[in-house]
Amino acid sequence: MDVLVRGLETKWVSELKKICSKNNIFICEKETEAADLRLLVTDYPIEWVKQGAYAGIPFVVVSKDGREEKILEAFQAGAEDYMVFPVSPDVAGVRIFRILGIGRAEKGCEERLREGAHFTPNEYRILSFMMGQPGRVFTRDELLAGAFPGMYKGYDRNVDNYIKEIRKKLSKRGGKLETVYGVGYRFMQ
């Protein structure tokens, strides 16, 4: 998952990279580095952000301009968030995680996931979504829509691979993912 950062101080961006890399988020500073662009973080004018290749990408403004009219202008243009610089990279990282949906899960899911297994962000999203409704059978499309609302662009059969990896990681932690042939998958406690 890639986040493009434009127009911000190099040292600040470097710290943000360290924070985000721990959650498998790649911070890039050039469009050519982004393979899976999910968010734009910028101090560029709103008009620039909403043009061309960036028109459909969610964006966050980090600016030294904390005037209310600028903040309102950004939100009216569709900004997901507005942070007044100087903002710590830690705070910016948490806000980015929240926008990307990383770390949103039921409390029980968080406790189980903290027990030593490392899940990729996509595995985590699918598992936490399923753990919110144990015993319910989900089709591939329902899993994609629930775990990645409006974000996932890929082949629905990729869910099978995520489920396979989640099963391996859950095998020693109780709970399991079952296949309901011809329908989909369910999480059982």
Side-chain angles (χ1 to χ4, degrees):
M1 186 175 321
D2 299 337
V3 173
L4 178 62
V5 178
R6 299 294 305 267
L8 297 166
E9 295 176 4
T10 306
K11 183 178 178 185
W12 187 86
V13 173
S14 177
E15 288 299 313
L16 185 63
K17 281 182 181 181
K18 292 176 191 173
I19 293 163
C20 290
S21 68
K22 295 174 186 173
N23 286 287
N24 296 319
I25 297 172
F26 178 66
I27 299 292
C28 47
E29 297 177 71
K30 298 178 183 173
E31 298 86 12
T32 55
E33 296 173 349
D36 182 23
L37 186 59
R38 299 292 178 95
L39 184 67
L40 173 64
V41 178
T42 186
D43 186 22
Y44 288 145
I46 302 302
E47 306 80 48
W48 179 87
V49 172
K50 298 301 288 177
Q51 293 179 7
Y54 304 113
I57 307 288
F59 68 97
V60 171
V61 177
V62 178
S63 176
K64 292 180 181 177
D65 191 344
R67 294 178 295 157
E68 185 174 343
E69 58 268 12
K70 283 295 185 184
I71 296 169
L72 288 172
E73 177 188 347
F75 281 119
Q76 289 168 348
E80 301 293 323
D81 200 351
Y82 192 103
M83 294 177 256
V84 179
F85 197 83
V87 60
S88 79
D90 291 310
V91 169
V94 169
R95 289 181 170 186
I96 288 169
F97 302 156
R98 184 171 209 87
I99 291 166
L100 294 175
I102 295 176
R104 292 183 189 167
E106 298 295 321
K107 186 175 180 183
C109 179
E110 290 175 356
E111 289 170 3
R112 189 172 305 236
L113 298 182
R114 274 188 257 146
E115 293 176 358
H118 172 74
F119 293 90
T120 68
N122 288 352
E123 292 167 358
Y124 183 88
R125 284 179 177 197
I126 289 171
L127 179 58
S128 63
F129 176 71
M130 293 178 78
M131 289 178 87
Q133 299 180 57
R136 178 174 172 207
V137 179
F138 294 96
T139 65
R140 289 180 191 94
D141 288 336
E142 288 172 331
L143 285 173
L144 292 174
F148 310 96
M151 294 177 17
Y152 190 81
K153 301 210 186 316
Y155 188 53
D156 70 342
R157 298 296 280 196
N158 288 342
V159 169
D160 301 339
N161 292 327
Y162 294 130
I163 295 293
K164 176 183 166 189
E165 291 302 314
I166 293 168
R167 276 187 180 134
K168 285 183 197 175
K169 295 171 184 179
L170 281 181
S171 64
K172 297 176 185 169
R173 289 175 175 71
K176 63 181 178 175
L177 295 181
E178 294 180 345
T179 300
V180 179
Y181 291 98
V183 182
Y185 303 100
R186 72 174 157 212
F187 174 79
M188 299 299 291
Q189 293 186 353

